[in-house]
Amino acid sequence: DAGVTQSPTHLIKTRGQQVTLRCSPKSGHDTVSWYQQALGQGPQFIFQYYEEEERQRGNFPDRFSGHQFPNYSSELNVNALLLGDSALYLCASSSWGQLETQYFGPGTRLLVL
Amino acid sequence: AQSVTQPDIHITVSEGASLELRCNYSYGATPYLFWYVQSPGQGLQLLLKYFSGDTLVQGIKGFEAEFKRSQSSFNLRKPSVHWSDAAEYFCAVIYSGAGSYQLTFGKGTKLSVIP
């Protein structure tokens, strides 16, 4: 039974570019949440997707957007990258009926130069 | 606003010694409390969680945590630390009463273990 998977593992971009990160939830889960973890900090909630709609959003600008597909996988898109977007991006999956229990993937480390 | 405080940024213990990592959360109704562990370059692994009932909860890898509502605390403990426990530990909370199920994390405590 595969856990939460994320791709790519590492990514290097330059300022102003756009990036897409991908996440496949754990088998049986239908909800995906995204978190940003800056160096030396705890993860911060970006947004949550269920039934292909954004259900909750944290305090992040509109440059951060997402999508969920019918197979429950999800993408995180960041436009107009800033140096401060350099971070580990974590995906967490859960069931809509048990949102309090979230399982995390290994993350995608993004470096913006 | 919801917040979680982990007062200790870095703790060093000797292998075999006991461990207590502190966590305080801002007051809120019906908190769900969690401890996660993160090894270098890895994602987060759930150690244990508290939703209700017995205030002493057992988790994986020999860890336990105690919920104290009067102190707004949820401290993590382990009676005997192993070298493989060296990692970063995050306390997190969900306030389900607000209709939100986003995890709010503390800044983490880095644990170093010396032989």
Side-chain angles (χ1 to χ4, degrees):
Chain A
D1 177 26
V4 181
T5 60
Q6 292 185 243
S7 64
T9 56
H10 294 82
L11 206 49
I12 300 175
K13 292 286 187 179
T14 56
R15 282 178 295 176
Q17 285 189 313
Q18 178 264 343
V19 69
T20 297
L21 311 181
R22 296 176 177 82
C23 171
S24 291
K26 183 178 167 64
S27 178
H29 285 179
D30 53 15
T31 305
V32 172
S33 301
W34 287 92
Y35 293 81
Q36 180 197 64
Q37 185 178 17
L39 200 62
Q41 301 294 315
Q44 286 194 298
F45 175 76
I46 303 175
F47 44 52
Q48 182 181 80
Y49 275 83
Y50 170 66
E51 289 189 329
E52 303 178 48
E53 289 186 13
E54 183 182 294
R55 300 293 178 156
Q56 297 182 60
R57 189 177 184 92
N59 188 26
F60 279 81
D62 292 345
R63 297 187 297 109
F64 289 76
S65 63
H67 188 76
Q68 186 179 35
F69 299 94
N71 67 353
Y72 309 122
S73 67
S74 176
E75 288 181 350
L76 163 65
N77 300 292
V78 187
N79 294 322
L81 283 167
L82 303 174
L83 296 180
D85 295 331
S86 296
L88 180 68
Y89 288 86
L90 295 163
C91 167
S93 80
S94 54
S95 295
W96 184 249
Q98 290 188 303
L99 290 173
E100 65 278 1
T101 301
Q102 301 181 23
Y103 295 88
F104 284 81
T108 293
R109 186 162 296 282
L110 172 65
L111 177 61
V112 182
L113 301 176
Chain B
Q2 304 169 9
S3 67
V4 177
T5 302
Q6 293 181 248
D8 304 305
I9 297 173
H10 190 184
I11 285 182
T12 300
V13 300
S14 298
E15 192 169 14
S18 63
L19 171 70
E20 183 169 24
L21 302 182
R22 296 183 290 165
C23 172
N24 293 96
Y25 61 94
S26 58
Y27 175 79
T30 323
Y32 293 161
L33 295 158
F34 307 81
W35 276 99
Y36 284 86
V37 61
Q38 186 176 39
S39 298
Q42 302 295 312
L44 297 167
Q45 182 182 22
L46 179 64
L47 284 176
L48 47 77
K49 59 189 177 185
Y50 172 77
F51 293 166
S52 64
D54 191 347
T55 56
L56 185 64
V57 293
Q58 302 297 320
I60 63 172
K61 304 184 180 186
F63 285 92
E64 66 178 27
E66 186 171 12
F67 171 58
K68 293 185 177 180
R69 185 182 295 275
S70 62
Q71 298 176 19
S72 298
S73 69
F74 188 58
N75 295 348
L76 182 72
R77 302 194 294 246
K78 186 169 185 178
S80 178
V81 170
H82 188 262
W83 64 266
S84 61
D85 293 325
E88 187 138 27
Y89 292 80
F90 292 94
C91 181
V93 62
I94 288 176
Y95 291 103
S96 63
S100 169
Y101 285 85
Q102 58 180 276
L103 284 160
T104 298
F105 286 87
K107 292 188 176 182
T109 297
K110 182 178 180 180
L111 173 66
S112 296
V113 181
I114 54 177

